[in-house]
Amino acid sequence: MGLIKAAAEVIGAISGGLNTTANSIWVDYFESGDMSNGVIMKRGNKIVGPKSKNRSGDENMITSGSGIDVQENQCMILVENGAIVDFCAEPGRYTFDASLAPSLLTGSNKGLKALASTLGQQILAGGQRTNTERVFYINLGEIQGFKWGSGNIVFEHWESDLTTGKPIWKIATTLQGNGMYSIQVTDPAKFFAVIGSSKAGDDGDGLITREYIEPQIKTEAIAAIRQGVGGLSKMHIPYTEIASNEAQLTTDVDALLDQSWNDARGISIFKIAIGMMDADDKSKEQITKYEETRGYTDPSMLGAYMGMGQTQAMQAAGANANGAVNGFAGVGMIGGMTGNLGGGNVANLMQQGQAQQAAQQQAAPQMAAGAVAGAATGSWTCSCGAVNTGKFCTNCGKPKPAAAACPKCGYQYDASNPPKFCPNCGNPIG
């Protein structure tokens, strides 16, 4: 039950006039027909020729001398009693000969090569079948346009220090996103065994469309996308940079989906594209408030705010032609007042900010050692790098986190967000 490829001149002769000319060349003829608009699998259309002995038009019989057409990005499979007995993934027009061994034309498909090896062993063991009943076609092309919408995703939004570029604080946000992805049958043998065979009964048309499998694919794809987006928070990036890390997201999502779809069902889900990924209004408001609060606890930023305020006041006073003298006098009064607020003038604040940044950079390499010592002295190290003994950080004002320490070396960490391994000694924690 093999296939003999038609000569080039014969192929040319029937091109453009398949339904009429094919009848004069082959006993019967099988073709896929239209497989656009998301058709993944369908039963072959049988055209009964004038030379056919099967005049009843029995769709479950394939006789020697029948023609079979295989288009680009297609896999034709011959099915007997629900099992694949021959296949062809190489484009062309073929003549079926029941006296030949199965052709097993795999093309470049890895899944079919594995099946070919299995069927070949069955033939050598005397397991060759005696008849073939039905022809099915599987679409191997990319099927685009699948849409996803994430719903709510919890994402740890990180902000970095403007000077060092290192992540310094995070806040839990709620994201919502949407986009597109594509699918492709990469292992037609596995696809038929797991999904297609249920549609290939005696009277079935074998029709499987994107609408048939989309609900299940979408459910699993969205779950993988949400997990992948959440995994990006480990990179300590703000939510606004998720789209710029789309390649990493696609890699992570592909790895999650490969096991359930590509490995188990023969379908690859790929080309994940982000159309939109944004935080909800509540999360944006929280981030804005946090940034404003941090600005007033940073001497350099507070000094910059005051400097801008004084500059704007002077510009306003200068623009007031009638009260310029009084305006500048008021500016001088403000400057005098702020100059006496415990070193709160702009110059002092900027100097304090520079000193604070230098202290943080110097303290960074000593954080681990300070944490070890803290286990004995009762001190704790804030996420900003400052070592404290009270309930609140003297540098940034953050409250002391819940007590937790590495059981091996005593390194203290935030119990609400424990590391998987101790940063000081490497002992497993999470």
Side-chain angles (χ1 to χ4, degrees), residues 26-44:
W26 283 284
V27 174
D28 298 320
Y29 199 84
F30 292 87
E31 60 176 356
S32 65
D34 184 16
M35 294 193 72
S36 61
N37 298 320
V39 174
I40 302 175
M41 189 183 92
K42 64 179 297 189
R43 190 167 179 174

Side-chain angles (χ1 to χ4, degrees), residues 161-164 294-304 343-362 384 395:
D161 183 87
L162 297 178
T163 303
T164 64
R294 176 172 169 263
Y296 287 112
T297 59
D298 186 322
S300 297
M301 297 183 69
L302 181 56
N345 59 57
V346 174
N348 286 345
L349 287 172
M350 298 299 288
Q351 291 175 358
Q352 290 177 27
Q354 293 173 358
Q356 177 177 303
Q357 291 178 3
Q360 291 176 358
Q361 293 175 1
Q362 183 177 2
C384 71
N395 179 51

Side-chain angles (χ1 to χ4, degrees), residues 186-206:
T186 50
D187 189 335
K190 189 174 296 180
F191 170 81
F192 180 80
V194 178
I195 300 177
S197 58
S198 63
K199 292 282 191 175
D202 290 343
D203 299 322
D205 58 7

Side-chain angles (χ1 to χ4, degrees), residues 120-198:
Q121 293 173 1
Q122 290 178 357
I123 294 169
L124 292 175
Q128 185 173 359
R129 299 176 182 273
T130 59
N131 61 78
T132 301
E133 295 180 335
R134 290 179 294 279
V135 175
F136 293 94
Y137 290 89
I138 297 176
N139 186 353
L140 302 184
E142 177 185 351
I143 301 178
Q144 304 175 339
F146 286 81
K147 298 179 180 180
W148 62 268
S150 67
N152 292 334
I153 303 176
V154 177
F155 182 80
E156 291 185 345
H157 169 87
W158 285 83
E159 290 285 347
S160 301
D161 183 87
L162 297 178
T163 303
T164 64
K166 296 181 178 180
I168 54 175
W169 62 268
K170 65 181 179 180
I171 185 171
T173 59
T174 300
L175 306 184
Q176 294 180 343
N178 59 55
M180 309 280 285
Y181 62 92
S182 301
I183 71 167
Q184 185 175 22
V185 176
T186 50
D187 189 335
K190 189 174 296 180
F191 170 81
F192 180 80
V194 178
I195 300 177
S197 58
S198 63

Side-chain angles (χ1 to χ4, degrees), residues 286-300:
Q286 289 177 334
I287 293 172
T288 300
K289 288 182 178 180
Y290 202 103
E291 289 176 340
E292 290 176 348
T293 302
R294 176 172 169 263
Y296 287 112
T297 59
D298 186 322
S300 297

Side-chain angles (χ1 to χ4, degrees), residues 59-277:
E59 295 295 329
N60 293 326
M61 292 182 60
I62 304 175
T63 56
S64 291
S66 293
I68 296 178
D69 180 58
V70 182
Q71 300 292 331
E72 291 282 352
N73 291 323
Q74 283 185 353
C75 175
M76 182 280 303
I77 58 177
L78 300 181
V79 176
E80 178 187 306
N81 299 327
I84 298 176
V85 294
D86 200 355
F87 53 80
C88 179
E90 298 180 5
R93 292 186 170 94
Y94 300 84
T95 299
F96 175 73
D97 190 335
S99 66
L100 300 178
S103 303
L104 309 178
L105 302 175
T106 65
S108 60
N109 193 277
K110 296 180 179 179
L112 291 176
K113 290 181 180 179
L115 178 61
S117 176
T118 301
L119 291 180
Q121 293 173 1
Q122 290 178 357
I123 294 169
L124 292 175
Q128 185 173 359
R129 299 176 182 273
T130 59
N131 61 78
T132 301
E133 295 180 335
R134 290 179 294 279
V135 175
F136 293 94
Y137 290 89
I138 297 176
N139 186 353
L140 302 184
E142 177 185 351
I143 301 178
Q144 304 175 339
F146 286 81
K147 298 179 180 180
W148 62 268
S150 67
N152 292 334
I153 303 176
V154 177
F155 182 80
E156 291 185 345
H157 169 87
W158 285 83
E159 290 285 347
S160 301
D161 183 87
L162 297 178
T163 303
T164 64
K166 296 181 178 180
I168 54 175
W169 62 268
K170 65 181 179 180
I171 185 171
T173 59
T174 300
L175 306 184
Q176 294 180 343
N178 59 55
M180 309 280 285
Y181 62 92
S182 301
I183 71 167
Q184 185 175 22
V185 176
T186 50
D187 189 335
K190 189 174 296 180
F191 170 81
F192 180 80
V194 178
I195 300 177
S197 58
S198 63
K199 292 282 191 175
D202 290 343
D203 299 322
D205 58 7
L207 182 62
I208 295 179
T209 65
R210 59 180 296 159
E211 289 78 15
Y212 179 75
I213 63 173
E214 186 169 10
Q216 185 64 32
I217 287 183
K218 181 178 291 186
T219 298
E220 296 185 31
I222 290 175
I225 290 169
R226 293 176 66 178
Q227 187 173 342
V229 170
L232 290 180
S233 64
K234 297 178 182 178
M235 298 173 62
H236 295 175
I237 63 174
Y239 76 87
T240 51
E241 292 185 11
I242 290 179
S244 62
N245 288 275
E246 190 170 328
Q248 181 63 48
L249 174 62
T250 300
T251 300
D252 294 343
V253 172
D254 280 348
L256 291 170
L257 292 174
D258 271 350
Q259 185 173 1
S260 61
W261 282 95
N262 192 28
D263 295 348
R265 296 158 173 160
I267 297 179
S268 176
I269 302 172
F270 63 111
K271 292 188 178 179
I272 309 281
I274 299 176
M276 180 277 294
M277 184 65 68

